[in-house]
Amino acid sequence: MVDQYPPMAPYATGFLDTGDGNRIYYEKLGNPDGKPAVNLHGGPGSGSLVGPTRGWDPETWHVIRFDQRGCGRSTPHASDPATDMSLNTTPHLIADIELLREHLGIERWLVKGGSWGATLSLAYAEQHPERVSEMIIPAVTMTRPEETDWLYRGVGRFFPEALDRFQKHVPEDERDDLLAAYARLLASPDRAVQEAAAAEWVRWEDTVVSLEPQNTSGDHYSSRIDDARLAFVRICAHYFSNNAWLEDGQILRDIHKLHGIPAALVHGRHDLGSPLYTAWQIAQAWPDATLYVIEDSGHTGSQEMSRILNQVTAEFAAR
């Protein structure tokens, strides 16, 4: 087993009023006088971890985590079809991160985010590089159209029967824009329509990670239930059907803005949903980033991935 730090629970919580009707739930963990870090969750719409974490040295780090708009304990919640999703975009999230940093009086912080959190971390850092001391990015993504197309269509070459089921949940004349069709279903005022669409979505997501060496549960995504599942799927469909409000290739194009910021890119060789190629491209263009390829891991992680993440976190703590 990987040696982990003692459990670190929040010592303070709060809500950040964004000024447009959203309230962002946040937590402070660790040492208030420690090195600042912000942890950006994935999804989009997964919500941050509930309960203690063991991924940070509680004596060294001052960790901030929060629930992005529409999910977790933030309000309004995306499971409510009345929630205005036009106020939930990547630019909104980047502005929220900066507002939270200013609210907490933090000058610079390490930014960590995996999966969708990787995209958000990179987009935030490229807009505010002067606020970022280091970066830790597991399960690297840039949410380019080619990546989204692969995740919700191309990878179906490995799972044709599952993809067929996923596609057939929407009307035939809407399948050319499958993600937008799911977004419409998730915005339905009929709870049964929402729940049926969400169930099919998480079934597909579980299929994509089903071949990973360390994934034995089979319910990595479908373990979300009720409002948490509805919010997760609605936000995912909303972001991915809009290319996350990023220009095609924007993050890689602007990676030069991160030169001088030390970073660790940690990616599983068996990540079928987010192939290693994306992390490799970033590493080639970012001299200060080190790519760690985890041979026994996919998107859902492994003991070796945890070990490397602990290692790089300790290295950055010493800077």
Side-chain angles (χ1 to χ4, degrees), residues 178-192:
L178 187 65
L179 303 184
Y182 267 94
R184 285 191 290 273
L185 293 174
L186 268 296
S188 171
D190 187 333
R191 177 85 178 199

Side-chain angles (χ1 to χ4, degrees), residues 299-315:
H299 201 73
T300 57
S302 69
Q303 289 291 313
E304 177 62 10
M305 179 174 278
S306 296
R307 187 186 71 79
I308 293 297
L309 289 171
N310 284 359
Q311 172 188 311
V312 299
T313 303
E315 290 172 357

Side-chain angles (χ1 to χ4, degrees), residues 157-195:
R157 295 180 183 184
F158 293 92
F159 311 104
E161 64 275 55
L163 179 63
D164 184 61
R165 175 177 177 137
F166 183 54
Q167 291 174 331
K168 284 182 175 177
H169 189 73
V170 305
E172 187 172 2
D173 60 353
E174 297 183 32
R175 293 174 194 164
D176 286 344
D177 196 346
L178 187 65
L179 303 184
Y182 267 94
R184 285 191 290 273
L185 293 174
L186 268 296
S188 171
D190 187 333
R191 177 85 178 199
V193 171
Q194 287 182 290
E195 290 180 345

Side-chain angles (χ1 to χ4, degrees), residues 8 27-30 35 37-39 56 61-65:
M8 182 168 67
E27 298 178 333
K28 303 177 183 180
L29 306 92
K35 183 168 182 173
V38 61
N39 196 93
W56 306 82
W61 290 98
H62 183 206
V63 178
I64 308 301
R65 65 186 185 190

Side-chain angles (χ1 to χ4, degrees), residues 125-140:
E126 288 181 350
Q127 192 163 327
H128 300 283
E130 74 283 359
R131 301 304 181 189
V132 180
S133 57
E134 302 91 8
M135 300 188 74
I136 299 175
I137 309 176
V140 184

